[in-house]
Amino acid sequence: MAHRSPNSPLVFTNPTNRLANIKGHMDGSNPTVFTSDHVPQAPEDPLFGLMAAYRKDSFEKKVDLGIGAYRDNNAKPWVLPVAEERLREDPNLNHEYLPIAGLPEFTSASQKLILGADSPAIKEKRASQPIQVVSLQTISGTGAVHLGALFLSKFYPRRTDQPVYFSSPTWANHNQIFSNVHLPIKTYPYFSPQTKGLDFEGMRSTIEQAPEGSIMLLHACAHNPTGVDPTREQWKELSQIIRAKKHFPFFDCAYQGFASGNLENDAWAVRYFVEEGFELCIAQSFAKNFGLYGERAGAFHFVTGAGSDAQNTIARIGSQLAILQRSEISNPPAYGARIASLVLNDPQLFTEWEANLRTMSGRIIDMRTALRDNLEQLGTPGSWKHITEQIGMFSFTGLTEKQVLKIREEAHVYMTKNGRISMAGLNTGNVEYVAKAMDKVVRETK
């Protein structure tokens, strides 16, 4: 078949293709090049799928122990009263772009929070001691982990097959973030199912046997999902191994102040490594400790080793981090960072915030005690001391996947399949109900 457009040569077309095109126009379809062979259906995110199932459940006594967000004793989100009203009254509040690296007063205060105001990494230049840290505001802790992973994938000198090591288990998103930037992944043992505590020997020996110069992702405090942390002596031993093997530490800190109620205590491991002279990076989130879940406030810090060229090194690293940030988000969001900055830089508000942190962490500690007491009073088979020995928002209960599915089906208590529960989902109105439901599935299901 031939046809001619005005002022154009005669064009021949395939009748079959032309009929297919006509049919496509008539039935409204248009074949895609993104077929299932090229774009397979991705599995639903397990945690957000769990949240969706909970929302659909109409059972009156349902309990959400899945999502990692703080709830008060009435199972309601708690907006920390410390700063938001003050921010709204600020006559200089606007909606202009922030710099690529974020709000400067936020990033500088974030440095002091995680590293300590007297940290050798952030002291002003004195004698031969230059500033050794560069910080960028990020899209919460997730964005900070991603920015660090992207930087390391591009610039960290290593063999192409050299892996990043995570704890087993770890926050599920770690795997996806590092896979997306094409860094191979391995794990080190962390949680012991037998003791429901730290498998320190397995962790230590694997880090010791890892290829020299491996990246070690470490949870700074309140390990997610287990709630199990190394002791200070164990951190010291790990630091010696990491130094001997020339590994690169990458700390993920999502719970400072929220874990124990003490900001200094929760930052101890990070500060110790910095004081020991390690070159390292830190992902810092303000979602949990400020309740800024939807505002996505976080920071990424890169600390270089001390040396005469440290300032030039940190300037070069900062320049590349800025290029990566510019290409992905251009500028970070302002509102959450302004709230956090207002609190972090005002001594009176900071003191009030510390009290808020003690309120949140204290309620979670109370719920740990209440759950353990109820299980022990019921005579639930097994030991439940790990409930109070673990720390932070999460507890690894030790329930099997079968037991988790059974408690969801029969009692409408929602938790992740590995038995992790968010302690913030417990309150004085439901902790007895949850304990009885756990007792039943432990007795009836192996």
Side-chain angles (χ1 to χ4, degrees):
M1 182 181 295
H3 67 87
R4 183 192 300 272
S5 301
N7 304 317
S8 66
L10 193 67
V11 177
F12 289 88
T13 60
N14 185 310
T16 304
N17 289 347
R18 183 169 173 79
L19 286 171
N21 288 339
I22 292 170
K23 183 178 184 298
H25 285 302
M26 290 176 65
D27 65 15
S29 66
N30 192 17
T32 179
V33 298
F34 299 99
T35 65
S36 58
D37 291 336
H38 296 94
V39 187
Q41 180 69 41
E44 181 180 48
D45 182 275
L47 184 56
F48 285 87
L50 187 69
M51 290 168 58
Y54 173 81
R55 286 194 294 267
K56 289 178 183 176
D57 192 335
S58 59
F59 186 67
E60 185 179 354
K61 290 186 176 181
K62 66 180 181 178
V63 181
D64 180 11
L65 302 180
I67 190 64
Y70 182 77
R71 297 291 182 262
D72 64 16
N73 196 49
N74 297 311
K76 301 295 183 185
W78 191 44
V79 179
L80 274 64
V82 66
E84 197 156 1
E85 287 304 318
R86 286 275 293 273
L87 182 65
R88 288 172 180 167
E89 293 166 4
D90 184 354
N92 298 314
L93 184 64
N94 59 53
H95 297 286
E96 294 299 303
Y97 287 125
L98 294 182
I100 292 172
L103 190 69
E105 52 266 41
F106 168 73
T107 53
S108 62
S110 299
Q111 286 179 359
K112 293 174 184 175
L113 186 72
I114 187 65
L115 299 175
D118 294 328
S119 172
I122 57 177
K123 284 180 180 175
E124 291 298 326
K125 186 174 182 180
R126 299 173 190 163
S128 62
Q129 179 62 60
I131 296 171
Q132 299 166 230
V133 60
V134 62
S135 302
L136 284 81
Q137 182 187 331
T138 58
I139 308 294
S140 199
T142 304
V145 174
H146 170 70
L147 182 62
L150 185 60
F151 176 84
L152 293 172
S153 73
K154 289 176 70 70
F155 297 107
Y156 183 61
R158 59 183 181 85
R159 299 195 319 266
T160 55
D161 63 341
Q162 191 164 344
V164 177
Y165 280 81
F166 301 152
S167 62
S168 177
T170 191
W171 179 48
N173 219 13
H174 283 149
N175 293 279
Q176 191 63 55
I177 290 170
F178 281 85
S179 295
N180 283 352
V181 297
H182 310 294
L183 285 172
I185 293 166
K186 284 193 176 180
T187 61
Y188 52 82
Y190 194 85
F191 183 77
S192 167
Q194 288 73 37
T195 66
K196 299 182 178 63
L198 181 65
D199 178 6
F200 182 69
E201 179 55 35
M203 179 185 187
R204 187 197 63 76
S205 67
T206 301
I207 291 175
E208 194 168 35
Q209 293 166 20
E212 186 174 281
S214 295
I215 299 166
M216 293 290 162
L217 190 88
L218 305 164
H219 296 236
C221 65
H223 182 273
N224 179 5
T226 68
V228 174
D229 288 347
T231 65
R232 291 188 179 186
E233 289 307 310
Q234 288 170 334
W235 275 121
K236 289 178 180 179
E237 188 174 342
L238 290 171
S239 77
Q240 293 171 5
I241 296 167
I242 289 170
R243 183 188 299 284
K245 292 302 299 275
K246 300 179 182 177
H247 295 327
F248 183 85
F250 188 152
F251 280 97
D252 189 0
C253 185
Y255 300 96
Q256 186 184 358
F258 190 96
S260 68
N262 185 297
L263 291 162
E264 310 297 311
N265 184 63
D266 293 347
W268 187 88
V270 173
R271 294 180 185 181
Y272 178 78
F273 272 67
V274 172
E275 287 164 6
E276 289 294 297
F278 279 91
E279 189 165 51
L280 53 82
C281 60
I282 308 156
Q284 182 182 27
S285 170
F286 290 90
K288 307 294 192 298
N289 56 12
F290 267 94
L292 295 172
Y293 301 102
E295 305 300 342
R296 314 309 291 146
F300 175 77
H301 310 282
F302 193 104
V303 181
T304 191
S308 59
D309 198 40
Q311 207 147 13
N312 288 332
T313 300
I314 211 66
R316 288 186 289 103
I317 290 169
S319 71
Q320 294 294 345
L321 286 167
I323 287 174
L324 296 177
Q325 176 109 312
R326 172 69 168 137
S327 68
E328 297 217 331
I329 65 169
S330 281
N331 318 81
Y335 193 71
R338 284 181 173 139
I339 292 174
S341 177
L342 183 63
V343 174
L344 295 174
N345 289 294
D346 183 307
Q348 183 178 343
L349 291 177
F350 190 92
T351 299
E352 186 181 341
W353 176 53
E354 287 183 300
N356 293 163
L357 289 170
R358 288 191 292 272
T359 295
M360 291 190 290
S361 62
R363 197 187 81 75
I364 285 176
I365 290 168
D366 289 346
M367 287 302 101
R368 287 185 178 277
T369 301
L371 180 60
R372 177 180 172 179
D373 286 350
N374 272 274
L375 289 167
E376 290 178 345
Q377 288 168 14
L378 290 165
T380 307
S383 171
W384 299 97
K385 64 180 182 178
H386 60 280
I387 299 291
T388 52
E389 290 175 347
Q390 295 167 3
I391 190 172
M393 179 170 282
F394 300 112
S395 177
F396 238 37
T397 60
L399 295 186
T400 66
E401 184 173 334
K402 274 187 177 182
Q403 291 167 340
V404 167
L405 295 176
K406 184 178 177 69
I407 201 172
R408 185 191 309 175
E409 180 184 353
E410 295 185 353
H412 305 261
V413 175
Y414 289 76
M415 64 186 73
T416 56
K417 287 183 179 180
N418 58 11
R420 186 202 78 171
I421 62 173
S422 172
M423 299 304 300
L426 293 173
N427 55 61
T428 54
N430 67 21
V431 66
E432 183 180 353
Y433 174 78
V434 170
K436 287 180 177 178
M438 288 175 64
D439 178 77
K440 185 174 186 292
V441 298
V442 168
R443 293 178 188 279
E444 295 179 359
T445 310
K446 299 300 181 186

